[in-house]
Every structure is written in structure tokens, then in C-alpha cells.
């Protein structure tokens, strides 16, 4: 057998020759597959998802997301949400938790206690999907033991045709499937799954409207995610996001600003503005709404200590945004700007629509305007046709840019993307060797950059106990560096000053002090 993985054959997931239609009308279709009734309101369709008609997006402001008749549906019951993937999924889980709490459910972290389990999934890489299907398999014995348990799959994986078809064929113990565009429909869909005793499927290929007034149970009282837009129109050849999250839809600036002001009133110390392509914000809005730079300038005036944003695309990082970020204040000095590769030809194959030289010019402009900023990125090794020379170009770019940190990945074909139709012709062994070389370089630069902080005093927002030691506290600098120190639990959620005593590759150790001249 060759080192290279064989391309996955998804065709057997689409064989529904044994399916039988029980009933069908304009609203839904009920089919029987392998003995189980399945109610399908809508299911993903890539052909529909690729159509990018610029239909006007409505802003919906319902008084109540949870219908009054469902307010006590969860009384005496518990729910558990397992979240995979990016900050957007974390934010979606906060919304789902808010709805379930309004329905009378209580939250639990114990699988065996839960009456409803939702898997909020990520589709960005194959490994992420494998984890979810592993968890689906692990939950089957619990479902057999506890038939009244409702198991739902939602998030980005649910937007994939092959995933939904695989669940319908192979995982009949799942009760509910819904996607990323209709999260606000969770109460009604859950009602159908509980009382209908049949699998309920509703995944919209057409993007939904922008829904405001969503109930939300935030993860903590210190840092908050604020979604400013949905979807992505870039269509990088390797990326599934434009299909799972849909076209770009921006929230109105007044809604975002009001949410950030409310968080400031509640005492939050940090907000992160979220979007799949966050610096494309506002381009889809009618009229002269301005872009991310104008929005950040308005938020700059709100009394909240820290404001971040993620994730950017180099093509949309304009001069006005750089000018606004250079003001500092509550706009932190951390720029995450994914480059993905250091070779122009590979960037062209990836559909990134910029060259290496254009990226370097942009990055240099940002560094000149914000000289004390930390600079991080994303990098993919082993893209189809990547040669040794092209990989070397990635290493030289990392050397030239001196990234403070980088998220590095082996290329993983995603079914339905243009790159998946290319020959995945870089052997896995070669991909692993290249990743190891890349990581060694990234780590050495990160360690060198962190050494600049030795004996310096930094401002740290304390997030909680260290994952490795409950007697140690952990937090982050404005430049997003992790800092560990010993201190009283009372400073969790506060901003403190730490003198760095040890600079390591990925973190800093330090001791808490009273006042001092501070480095960011």
C-alpha cells in the first residue's frame, strides 16, 4: 500500500434505495430508513450552497426566540453541549445554552446525567470530523440504555451532504440534525425530536437572516465573544467554510456597538469581535456603513479595557483599519493574519488571491504602524503539487516575518471543495517531515521572541487556574502571550501586573507586583 491515503469514497452514503417515503407535503417529508422514521424539513445541498445570489438579508428581532409554550419543556431535565472547533462554534454554543436554559433545562457536564446531548461540530479538517464520529459511536450504548435521551448533531459538519447522509445510513441513534443557519430554530426542532420519536433533520443550504435578541449563556464574566458577521465569500480552494457558513452577512453596527456597551456595563474586561472573514465586515451592507476600521474606531471609544478581532484575510486588511488599530488604547497589539503559504504559485492554487510579496508588503506596513504588536499566522504544509523548493519558500517567509506564533497544519482534503478534486500527490511521510521542520523553526522564533520579555513587567488579564496546576493562575497579555504565576484566586477576572521571571517557548512565568512600568 502506498504512503498516500486513498481518496475517500462517499458514494455508499448516498445509497437510499431502501428508503421509503411515508408522507410528503410542502413543509416536510417523512421517510423510513432501516426501520426508523426520519422527518426531513431541509437537508444540505452543495449545488444550492454554491449559488451566491445577492439576496437581501433581513434583520430579524423577535421578542422571544423561545416560544412561550416551550418555556417549560426542559423542566427537570439536563443538557450537555460538546463544542468542537473555532471561536464561532463556542459562540454558537453560548446561544444554544441560552435557549435551553430559557426552556427550563439545567446544564450538566456529566454525560450520563444529560437528557439532551448536542455535538456542535467543526468541518475544517478531517481529524475534527473523525473525533465527532468517534463520539457519536461512543454515545450509542448510552442511547440503548436510555432511549429517551436526545442526541443532536449541529454545527459545520451538519452542513455537509456526506455527513448528513452518513448519519442517516449508519447512525440511526441520532435524533436531531440541524446546521449553522437555523440555530434559532432549536426550541421547535427539539420539541419535534422529543415528542415525535423520530429523527428530525433541518439543514438550510440557503443562508438564514441575521437574528438578533438571541438568548445567550456566556462562558465567563471576563471575556466575551461578539459576532459581527457570518459566512465567507473568499472560496479558498481548500476551505469548506463558504459552504458550511454561507455567504457574508454583516450585523448592523448599532447592534454590535450596543452589545459591546452592554458588556462594558456588566464589567467585562475583554471582547473579541468574530467573523469567518472579520475584516470584510460591512461590505455587504446597503448604504455607506463603513468597514471594520470604522466599527473598531467606534468601539475604541467604549470603556472596556481590551478589544480583539479574528480572523482576518490579507485581501481585506485596508489602510484605514491599520490607522485605527495604531491608536492603541483598548485596541490590543495582536494581529493574527493567516498567510497559509510562502510560495506565490501555491497561494494561487489555494485561491488566496495575493502573492507572497503582497503579503510581506502588508505585514511590513502593519508592523511599521504598530511596532510593538505580536504577529501570528496560519500555515498549511503538503498542499497538492507542493515541491521541496516551494516548501523552502514557506520557511524563508517565516524567517523573514519572525512570527510570534503560528498554527500549523497538514493539508487535509475536504469533500466538496475544488482542492479535493486535485491529486493529493504529496506523500504523507513527506508532509509529516515538512511539518516537523516548520514547527521546529516556528518554535525557535517563538522562544526568541518570548526572551524579549525576560524580567519585563506585563499587563495580564487573569483568566483562571492553570490547566496543569490549580495552585497556579494563568492569563494573557495584550499581545496574547500566556502567562503563569502564583497569586490569590480573588484576582481571577482582573487585570494585574506580572514581572516575567522565566521566558519559555510558548508561555511566560512570572510573579505578581503592585505597580510598575508595563510592557504589553
Amino acid at each position: 500500500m502506498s504512503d498516500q491515503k486513498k481518496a475517500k469514497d462517499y458514494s455508499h452514503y448516498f445509497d437510499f434505495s431502501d428508503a421509503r417515503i411515508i408522507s410528503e407535503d410542502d413543509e416536510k417529508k417523512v421517510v423510513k430508513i432501516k426501520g426508523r422514521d426520519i422527518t426531513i424539513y431541509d437537508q444540505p445541498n452543495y449545488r444550492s450552497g454554491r449559488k451566491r445570489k445577492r439576496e437581501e438579508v433581513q434583520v430579524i428581532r423577535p421578542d422571544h426566540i423561545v416560544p412561550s409554550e416551550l418555556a417549560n419543556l426542559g423542566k427537570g431535565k439536563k443538557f450537555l453541549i460538546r463544542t468542537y472547533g473555532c471561536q464561532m462554534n463556542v459562540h454558537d454554543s453560548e446561544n444554544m445554552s441560552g435557549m435551553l436554559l430559557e426552556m427550563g433545562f439545567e446544564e450538566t457536564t456529566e454525560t450520563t446525567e444529560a437528557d439532551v446531548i448536542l455535538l456542535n461540530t467543526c468541518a475544517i479538517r478531517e481529524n475534527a470530523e473523525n473525533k465527532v464520529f468517534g463520539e457519536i459511536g461512543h454515545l450509542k450504548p448510552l442511547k440503548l440504555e436510555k432511549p429517551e435521551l436526545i442526541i443532536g448533531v449541529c454545527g459545520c459538519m451538519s452542513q455537509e451532504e456526506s455527513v448528513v447522509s452518513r448519519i442517516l445510513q449508519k447512525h440511526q441513534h441520532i435524533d436531531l440534525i440541524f446546521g449553522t443557519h437555523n440555530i434559532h430554530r432549536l426550541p421547535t426542532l427539539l420539541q419535534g425530536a422529543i415528542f415525535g420519536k423520530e429523527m428530525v433533520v433541518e439543514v438550510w443550504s440557503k443562508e438564514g437572516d441575521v437574528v438578533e435578541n438571541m438568548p445567550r449563556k456566556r462562558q465567563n464574566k471576563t471575556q466575551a465573544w461578539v459576532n459581527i458577521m457570518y459566512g465567507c465569500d473568499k472560496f479558498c480552494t481548500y476551505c469548506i467554510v463558504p459552504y458550511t457558513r454561507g455567504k457574508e452577512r454583516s450585523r448592523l453596527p448599532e447592534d454590535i456597538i450596543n452589545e459591546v456597551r452592554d458588556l462594558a456595563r456588566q464589567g467585562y474586561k475583554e471582547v473579541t469581535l468574530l467573523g469567518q472573514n472579520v475584516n470584510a465586515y460591512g461590505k455587504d451592507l446597503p448604504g455607506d456603513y463603513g468597514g471594520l476600521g470604522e466599527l473598531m474606531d467606534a468601539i475604541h471609544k467604549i470603556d472596556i479595557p481590551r478589544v480583539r478581532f479574528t480572523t482576518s484575510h490579507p485581501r481585506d486588511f485596508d489602510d484605514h483599519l491599520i490607522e485605527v488599530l495604531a491608536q492603541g488604547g483598548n485596541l490590543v497589539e495582536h494581529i493574527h493574519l493567516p498567510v497559509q503559504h510562502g510560495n506565490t504559485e501555491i497561494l494561487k492554487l489555494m485561491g488566496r488571491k495575493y502573492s507572497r510579496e503582497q503579503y510581506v508588503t502588508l505585514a511590513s506596513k502593519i508592523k511599521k504602524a504598530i511596532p510593538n504588536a505580536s504577529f501570528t499566522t496560519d500555515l498549511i504544509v503538503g498542499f497538492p503539487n507542493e515541491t521541496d523548493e516551494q516548501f523552502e519558500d514557506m520557511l524563508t517567509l517565516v524567517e523573514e516575518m519572525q512570527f510570534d506564533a503560528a498554527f500549523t497544519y497538514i493539508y487535509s482534503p475536504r469533500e466538496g471543495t475544488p482542492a479535493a478534486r486535485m491529486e493529493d500527490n504529496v506523500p504523507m511521510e513527506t508532509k509529516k517531515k515538512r511539518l516537523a521542520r516548520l514547527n521546529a523553526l516556528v518554535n525557535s522564533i517563538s522562544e526568541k521572541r518570548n526572551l524579549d520579555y525576560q524580567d519585563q513587567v506585563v499587563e495580564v488579564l487573569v483568566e483562571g487556574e492553570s490547566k496543569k496546576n490549580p495552585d497556579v493562575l494563568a492569563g494573557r497579555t495584550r499581545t496574547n502571550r500566556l502567562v503563569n504565576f502564583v497569586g490569590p484566586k480573588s484576582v481571577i477576572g482582573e487585570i494585574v501586573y506580572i514581572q516575567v521571571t522565566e521566558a519559555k517557548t510558548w508561555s511566560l512565568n512570572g510573579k505578581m507586583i503592585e505597580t510598575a512600568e508595563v510592557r504589553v
Side-chain angles (χ1 to χ4, degrees):
M1 185 176 176
S2 68
D3 290 338
Q4 194 60 40
K5 260 188 210 173
K6 290 184 179 178
K8 277 198 170 183
D9 178 16
Y10 293 90
S11 60
H12 58 291
Y13 297 140
F14 293 88
D15 178 15
F16 291 101
S17 55
D18 60 340
R20 183 162 57 89
I21 296 177
I22 305 299
S23 63
E24 186 172 11
D25 56 36
D26 292 339
E27 181 185 347
K28 64 183 179 181
K29 176 168 66 175
V30 179
V31 300
K32 188 180 286 291
I33 300 174
K34 292 184 169 54
R36 185 171 190 192
D37 287 357
I38 300 171
T39 299
I40 301 175
Y41 292 96
D42 209 344
Q43 63 189 108
N45 183 296
Y46 275 158
R47 188 171 294 176
S48 299
R50 286 191 185 99
K51 294 177 181 176
R52 282 296 208 248
K53 292 181 180 177
R54 273 291 173 200
E55 298 176 5
E56 186 177 349
V57 174
Q58 301 294 321
V59 179
I60 310 298
R61 304 178 191 279
D63 292 331
H64 301 285
I65 296 289
V66 177
S68 57
E69 64 271 18
L70 300 183
N72 292 311
L73 182 66
K75 190 173 182 180
K77 298 177 181 178
K78 296 182 179 181
F79 74 91
L80 183 154
I81 301 178
R82 288 216 171 94
T83 308
Y84 303 80
C86 67
Q87 295 96 330
M88 190 73 77
N89 278 17
V90 173
H91 188 58
D92 287 345
S93 290
E94 290 181 340
N95 289 338
M96 289 187 281
S97 295
M99 284 183 276
L100 290 167
L101 289 169
E102 281 200 7
M103 294 171 71
F105 287 93
E106 293 180 30
E107 191 169 12
T108 181
T109 57
E110 296 296 324
T111 306
T112 53
E113 288 183 358
D115 299 283
V116 173
I117 298 175
L118 298 178
L119 305 181
N120 188 7
T121 64
C122 172
I124 200 73
R125 283 177 295 280
E126 183 179 354
N127 186 48
E129 290 195 4
N130 290 339
K131 284 182 180 178
V132 172
F133 276 114
E135 182 62 18
I136 287 173
H138 292 150
L139 290 173
K140 188 172 183 178
L142 182 61
K143 176 71 174 179
L144 293 174
E145 178 185 322
K146 190 177 176 182
E148 70 277 13
L149 170 67
I150 298 296
I151 303 174
V153 178
C154 56
C156 290
M157 277 177 60
S158 299
Q159 294 289 152
E160 296 184 84
E161 288 181 65
S162 61
V163 167
V164 173
S165 297
R166 179 175 175 179
I167 292 173
L168 296 182
Q169 285 277 21
K170 305 289 184 181
H171 301 285
Q172 292 274 305
H173 60 288
I174 298 299
D175 302 285
L176 175 62
I177 305 172
F178 61 100
T180 59
H181 307 319
N182 60 333
I183 288 173
H184 62 287
R185 291 262 302 152
L186 173 60
T188 300
L189 297 174
L190 187 56
Q191 179 192 32
I194 291 173
F195 292 116
K197 300 302 179 185
E198 56 198 18
M199 189 190 297
V200 174
V201 180
E202 183 179 275
V203 181
W204 296 352
S205 293
K206 178 190 177 299
E207 298 84 354
D209 295 314
V210 173
V211 181
E212 298 291 345
N213 302 335
M214 290 280 278
R216 188 169 296 123
K217 193 257 181 181
R218 297 194 184 271
Q219 284 198 333
N220 61 55
K221 296 295 183 183
T222 304
Q223 298 159 293
W225 310 111
V226 175
N227 192 259
I228 68 170
M229 66 178 299
Y230 307 88
C232 181
D233 287 348
K234 285 295 181 281
F235 285 96
C236 300
T237 59
Y238 55 84
C239 187
I240 197 72
V241 167
Y243 308 103
T244 61
R245 288 285 179 175
K247 67 171 180 261
E248 291 170 357
R249 294 101 69 209
S250 300
R251 293 177 66 195
L252 295 176
E254 54 264 35
D255 290 322
I256 299 165
I257 291 167
N258 286 339
E259 184 175 345
V260 175
R261 282 178 178 155
D262 186 54
L263 290 167
R265 283 192 291 269
Q266 293 179 50
Y268 278 84
K269 300 295 194 296
E270 180 177 293
V271 297
T272 301
L273 308 182
L274 293 180
Q276 267 78 32
N277 179 19
V278 71
N279 49 343
Y281 171 78
K283 292 185 176 183
D284 60 304
L285 292 175
D288 186 21
Y289 271 101
L292 181 60
E294 191 167 322
L295 179 67
M296 294 289 279
D297 199 28
I299 293 175
H300 175 62
K301 300 175 178 69
I302 298 175
D303 186 19
I304 196 161
R306 293 183 177 184
V307 179
R308 303 183 185 276
F309 63 96
T310 193
T311 291
S312 307
H313 192 291
R315 287 189 65 209
D316 293 316
F317 215 112
D318 59 36
D319 289 348
H320 183 225
L321 177 58
I322 296 173
E323 182 184 328
V324 170
L325 295 176
Q327 296 176 94
N330 61 356
L331 308 181
V332 300
E333 302 79 18
H334 172 223
I335 307 296
H336 185 69
L337 191 63
V339 63
Q340 307 300 0
H341 210 279
N343 176 269
T344 296
E345 286 303 310
I346 293 294
L347 288 170
K348 188 175 181 180
L349 284 176
M350 288 178 165
R352 295 292 286 177
K353 296 184 174 61
Y354 55 80
S355 65
R356 173 190 173 121
E357 290 72 27
Q358 288 170 325
Y359 181 90
V360 170
T361 298
L362 171 62
S364 300
K365 188 186 295 185
I366 296 170
K367 288 183 174 186
K368 183 178 179 181
I370 318 169
N372 56 339
S374 64
F375 212 76
T376 57
T377 197
D378 295 347
L379 297 161
I380 298 172
V381 303
F383 194 77
N385 301 313
E386 182 190 66
T387 65
D388 289 336
E389 292 77 12
Q390 289 169 334
F391 172 69
E392 292 295 333
D393 284 345
M394 188 183 320
L395 298 181
T396 60
L397 179 73
V398 172
E399 284 275 18
E400 182 177 358
M401 286 291 95
Q402 291 288 296
F403 294 112
D404 291 76
F407 296 98
T408 60
Y409 310 99
I410 286 176
Y411 167 70
S412 173
R414 307 309 300 128
E415 189 240 345
T417 63
R421 298 194 292 272
M422 302 177 189
E423 183 185 356
D424 190 8
N425 53 7
V426 180
M428 182 55 69
E429 191 60 33
T430 300
K431 290 180 183 180
K432 289 179 178 178
K433 287 179 180 178
R434 289 176 183 173
L435 182 67
R437 286 187 61 199
L438 176 62
N439 284 341
L441 177 60
V442 167
N443 291 352
S444 68
I445 294 173
S446 178
E447 184 176 25
K448 183 175 67 175
R449 300 282 290 174
N450 275 355
L451 281 172
D452 291 341
Y453 286 77
Q454 183 68 44
D455 300 323
Q456 300 292 325
V457 174
V458 292
E459 177 193 294
V460 174
L461 175 57
V462 187
E463 297 177 355
E465 296 175 355
S466 165
K467 293 178 180 178
K468 295 182 179 179
N469 184 348
D471 295 326
V472 174
L473 299 181
R476 291 192 179 271
T477 66
R478 289 170 59 94
T479 54
N480 210 38
R481 283 174 164 81
L482 178 65
V483 181
N484 297 297
F485 66 97
V486 175
K489 298 288 195 289
S490 59
V491 299
I492 292 175
E494 301 297 326
I495 291 175
V496 300
Y497 299 117
I498 304 295
Q499 183 170 29
V500 177
T501 57
E502 182 184 11
K504 301 162 74 173
T505 302
W506 293 114
S507 62
L508 306 171
N509 291 340
K511 61 181 180 181
M512 199 166 82
I513 61 173
E514 295 300 320
T515 59
E517 185 178 344
V518 179
R519 275 200 62 178
V520 293

